[in-house]
């Protein structure tokens, strides 16, 4: 079964540094998402992306965050200047269509980001 | 925007017992309610969902019920097994409908 692949599985970075998290969505999917999960807490929506544009973003997704689809397969999340509170598990997801009722979200296994 | 509340945060049951997890939502226009299971070290996986035009849906040992008037929906797992142990999340569509908003999760532990 096709999977969403995320790399790396664990990233350690120093406060203030830029970090890029990478995802390869399922190949025929057109809609892409980033979520984060602070340890032991709920899965929080960050951003949805379609046709090279942000469709929707949460208030967490401020100017420090950006997303990009640099080529036909990768979908990236960049954090420009990391803060300690950015430490979390970041999940990428993809779906065939925009409506989750007909196109369920498929999640990757996540990248654990640790900011020291 | 949508707000999803989930209870309980932890639930411990004996193998063979039933488990019930409850969620409430705030946006009366929401019309789709999925449940995800997250095993250790993995991303959430969809296990069942329900649309607002039905009140109940069942898939083997798992069922979901929806009360639109009260704006709450529940996950029911019968004859629980140790492999049901995981974190379960309910969700509802975001305001724009292009993403899902998750509850805080319920850690289910099934002991044999």
């Amino acid at each position: 079964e096709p999977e969403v692949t995320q790399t790396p599985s664990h990233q350690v970075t120093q406060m203030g540094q830029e970090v890029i998290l990478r995802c390869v969505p399922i190949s025929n999917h057109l809609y892409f998402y980033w979520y984060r999960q602070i340890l032991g807490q709920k899965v929080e929506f960050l951003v949805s992306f379609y046709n090279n544009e942000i469709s929707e973003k949460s208030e967490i997704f401020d100017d420090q965050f950006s997303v990009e689809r640099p080529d036909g397969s990768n979908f990236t999340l960049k954090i420009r200047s990391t803060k300690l509170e950015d430490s979390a598990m970041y999940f990428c997801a993809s779906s065939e269509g925009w409506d989750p009722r007909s196109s369920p979200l498929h999640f990757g296994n996540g990248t654990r980001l640790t900011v020291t | 925007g949508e707000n999803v509340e989930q209870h309980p945060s932890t639930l411990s049951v004996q193998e063979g017992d039933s488990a019930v997890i409850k969620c409430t939502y705030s946006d009366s226009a929401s019309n789709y309610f999925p449940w995800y299971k997250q095993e250790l070290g993995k991303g959430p996986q969809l296990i069942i969902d329900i649309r607002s035009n039905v009140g109940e849906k069942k898939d083997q040992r798992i069922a979901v019920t929806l009360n639109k008037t009260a704006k709450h929906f529940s996950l029911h797992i019968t004859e629980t097994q140790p492999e049901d142990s995981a974190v379960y999340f309910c969700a509802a569509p975001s305001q724009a409908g292009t993403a899902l908003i998750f509850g805080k999760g319920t850690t289910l532990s099934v002991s044999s």
Side-chain angles (χ1 to χ4, degrees):
Chain A
E1 184 175 329
E3 292 182 339
V4 175
T5 305
Q6 291 186 243
T7 55
S9 57
H10 190 192
Q11 173 110 34
V12 181
T13 189
Q14 289 192 327
M15 194 167 51
Q17 295 295 305
E18 175 183 286
V19 67
I20 298 175
L21 309 182
R22 303 181 191 280
C23 168
V24 178
I26 295 173
S27 62
N28 65 331
H29 286 188
L30 301 176
Y31 294 81
F32 314 114
Y33 312 84
W34 283 102
Y35 285 79
R36 79 173 185 190
Q37 185 179 31
I38 295 170
L39 187 63
Q41 298 187 28
K42 70 174 176 179
V43 178
E44 298 175 295
F45 169 65
L46 294 179
V47 65
S48 58
F49 188 86
Y50 167 71
N51 199 27
N52 286 319
E53 290 184 351
I54 290 174
S55 302
E56 188 177 1
K57 62 182 180 179
S58 72
E59 52 194 33
I60 301 170
F61 194 87
D62 61 22
D63 292 344
Q64 292 296 310
F65 292 90
S66 62
V67 288
E68 191 178 30
R69 187 154 164 83
D71 53 44
S73 60
N74 289 285
F75 179 52
T76 63
L77 174 69
K78 181 191 291 185
I79 309 174
R80 288 191 182 80
S81 178
T82 50
K83 303 186 285 287
L84 293 175
E85 53 264 39
D86 293 327
S87 295
M89 182 74 89
Y90 287 80
F91 290 105
C92 174
S94 68
S95 63
E96 282 186 70
W98 67 270
D99 187 347
R101 292 172 296 177
S102 55
S103 301
L105 270 62
H106 295 260
F107 285 84
N109 285 336
T111 292
R112 179 167 297 285
L113 176 66
T114 302
V115 182
T116 60
Chain B
E2 179 64 274
N3 184 44
V4 179
E5 298 288 338
Q6 183 172 347
H7 301 279
S9 56
T10 60
L11 181 58
S12 296
V13 299
Q14 291 285 321
E15 183 177 1
D17 288 349
S18 294
V20 181
I21 304 170
K22 298 181 179 181
C23 286
T24 60
Y25 60 97
S26 59
D27 187 354
S28 56
S30 288
N31 54 11
Y32 172 72
F33 307 96
W35 285 89
Y36 281 77
K37 177 183 181 181
Q38 185 181 27
E39 296 177 336
L40 198 62
K42 295 189 175 182
Q45 300 291 315
L46 177 68
I47 55 171
I48 195 168
D49 57 18
I50 191 167
R51 290 163 175 72
S52 59
N53 58 342
V54 297
E56 183 173 0
K57 183 177 178 180
K58 192 172 182 181
D59 182 5
Q60 299 182 341
R61 295 186 297 109
I62 294 173
V64 57
T65 58
L66 171 65
N67 183 326
K68 284 202 68 180
T69 303
K71 291 192 285 187
H72 67 70
F73 57 110
S74 300
L75 178 71
H76 305 253
I77 306 174
T78 58
E79 300 172 29
T80 53
Q81 301 167 2
E83 51 265 39
D84 294 330
S85 297
V87 181
Y88 291 82
F89 293 95
C90 61
S94 63
Q95 188 169 19
T98 66
L100 292 175
I101 303 302
F102 286 83
K104 288 189 175 181
T106 296
T107 301
L108 174 64
S109 300
V110 181
S111 53
S112 54

